[in-house]
Amino acid sequence: MATGWTPTTPGLLVLPSGRSVRGCPEHAAGVDCQRPEFGLYLAAAPPPPREWPSRWILWRDFRTPSDPGAAREALVDAWHRSAHQRVEIACHGGRGRTGTALACLAVIDGIPPHEAVAFVRRHYHRRAVETPGQKRFVQQFRAP
């Protein structure tokens, strides 16, 4: 894999383009695998400082991002970075917000919005994207 993640990295989602992103619960960020080169953290409060470059999106549990425009910008940035860096995305449980963000990356990568949730549930976690609002967010998300 071009990004340096190994195929056995826990929580690894390989996108159709071959880019890969690790999704995980926040407590597992940077654990059980190679250290990420960039992290995108989705939480109601700023996460603890990391030893690697990172970005935080204000995103409450079971909701969608508080600032959809900032979230879109951060997700596009994470997708671009995933071509040459080990990118990790995490929220508290690693399913709802993380799954929603991964589904948006799938849309950016070329998967139609109405298929992205199913793709992430099939290739990342079967319970990814936890709420109807999160599913709508993905279905309305448009690639740049």
Side-chain angles (χ1 to χ4, degrees), residues 45-123:
R50 305 287 181 193
E51 296 175 14
W52 50 86
S54 64
R55 188 167 180 178
W56 164 64
I57 297 174
L58 177 59
W59 192 332
R60 289 176 173 72
D61 205 5
F62 301 107
R63 306 265 175 103
T64 57
S66 295
D67 183 341
R72 178 185 175 75
E73 178 185 308
L75 290 165
V76 169
D77 177 50
W79 181 82
H80 282 293
R81 289 173 179 268
S82 71
H84 59 275
Q85 291 181 306
R86 290 186 303 272
V87 174
E88 169 178 88
I89 297 180
C91 67
H92 181 73
R95 293 185 193 153
R97 293 169 283 184
T98 297
T100 302
L102 291 173
C104 291
L105 291 185
V107 171
I108 295 167
D109 205 62
I111 293 180
H114 66 279
E115 296 176 15
V117 171
F119 175 83
V120 170
R121 286 179 177 166
R122 193 169 44 257
H123 298 285

